[in-house]
Amino acid sequence: MSRLKRITSTTRAGWHSFLRRRTAVFFTFFFPVIIVAIFAGLVQTQPTGGGIFAEPPAYYIPGYLAVVVLFTPLSRVGSEIARHRDGNQFEKLATTPLKRWEWLLAQTLVNVVVIGLAGLLLLGLTVVVTGVSVPLEPATLLLIPFVAVGVALFCGIGALLGNFADSQDGVVAASNAIALPLLFLSETFVTPDLLPSWFRPLVGLSPLTYFARGVRGLTYSGDAIGAVVTNLAILSVLALVFFAAGAVTIPRTD
């Protein structure tokens, strides 16, 4: 079997495995509804009154998208690795031609599709609920690679968590411990001026910051295309690094 067929068949199997878990399907797509209902409501209550939600609603589009791009890959890939380890699946995979990075790539492709659909739903709900307008320009199509690369990056980090956590519960706990600080300290919902001056340079250490800056440049601030592409390039390099690290640490046997 060729490499392309191995990846394709593994991706197809991962997609059907996701669809069979009805609870996972429900909450994957219901989660954006909750996020928009809660956060968009809060944004509209204080449009100019100061505090965290003092910016116009469109400012927070990167934050809404970051929720699904960040949380879902971390928990899904990490839990999948923990589940495979508990079920001795890696021992079985070691007897096949499928390589570790091919398996992780297949899991990543499934997540790109799932989260891409969830992100599209979230973006549509944001437009309907808050009344914001997303620029309909050719450059706006860069949202697609931003979401895809962001998902790949956090799939790599999720793989690392799945390998180092000792159980599925440990993966969930570790995912939340990493995701929650990143979500609010990466120029998503909290503007840099609200952070202590000594902490602001550290925001650049978060990979989610480059996702937020790039998406905001496309949907709100109208940044030059060069600045948007620079953020996408940085995000892509980080995605390659974390994907490679996650693939290397996937166990060959249990």
Side-chain angles (χ1 to χ4, degrees):
M1 181 181 289
S2 68
R3 175 169 296 163
L4 179 59
K5 288 184 178 180
R6 291 198 300 268
I7 295 174
T8 301
S9 61
T10 306
T11 302
R12 188 182 300 114
W15 173 253
H16 288 298
S17 175
F18 168 71
L19 292 180
R20 284 194 297 268
R21 300 188 185 110
R22 296 180 181 179
T23 302
V25 174
F26 176 79
F27 281 104
T28 296
F29 293 101
F30 185 65
F31 193 44
V33 177
I34 299 174
I35 293 301
V36 172
I38 294 176
F39 284 93
L42 290 173
V43 169
Q44 289 185 334
T45 59
Q46 300 181 22
T48 58
I52 291 181
F53 297 116
E55 300 295 327
Y59 180 89
Y60 301 100
I61 289 177
Y64 300 147
L65 291 176
V67 172
V68 291
V69 169
L70 172 63
F71 279 87
T72 307
L74 285 179
S75 60
R76 288 198 74 248
V77 173
S79 296
E80 193 71 18
I81 289 179
R83 189 180 302 113
H84 270 60
R85 187 176 58 237
D86 293 343
N88 298 321
Q89 294 298 311
F90 286 118
E91 193 169 287
K92 298 175 183 177
L93 287 176
T95 63
T96 71
L98 189 70
K99 299 183 183 300
R100 290 177 291 179
W101 71 266
E102 294 173 347
W103 181 87
L104 183 56
L105 177 59
Q107 299 298 322
T108 300
L109 292 175
V110 172
N111 278 275
V112 167
V113 174
V114 170
I115 297 165
L117 293 173
L120 184 62
L121 172 63
L122 192 152
L123 191 61
L125 287 172
T126 302
V127 171
V128 172
V129 172
T130 67
V132 302
S133 59
V134 177
L136 299 178
E137 302 173 355
T140 310
L141 292 175
L142 286 174
L143 285 174
I144 297 173
F146 264 106
V147 171
V149 173
V151 170
L153 191 156
F154 290 107
C155 280
I157 297 177
L160 290 171
L161 295 180
N163 290 316
F164 296 129
D166 57 0
S167 65
Q168 293 186 48
D169 290 339
V171 169
V172 173
S175 297
N176 290 334
I178 291 175
L180 285 173
L182 288 183
L183 182 62
F184 291 99
L185 300 176
S186 303
E187 296 187 11
T188 48
F189 293 107
V190 180
T191 56
D193 58 286
L194 293 178
L195 298 172
S197 57
W198 63 267
F199 187 83
R200 293 171 194 169
L202 300 179
V203 171
L205 297 178
S206 168
L208 191 64
T209 296
Y210 303 100
F211 174 85
R213 288 174 178 173
V215 172
R216 184 168 291 117
L218 292 170
T219 60
Y220 172 71
S221 57
D223 292 350
I225 192 65
V228 173
V229 171
T230 297
N231 284 305
L232 181 58
I234 295 173
L235 195 69
S236 300
V237 171
L238 292 173
L240 287 174
V241 170
F242 281 106
F243 181 89
V248 167
T249 55
I250 293 176
R252 293 183 183 274
T253 56
D254 304 294

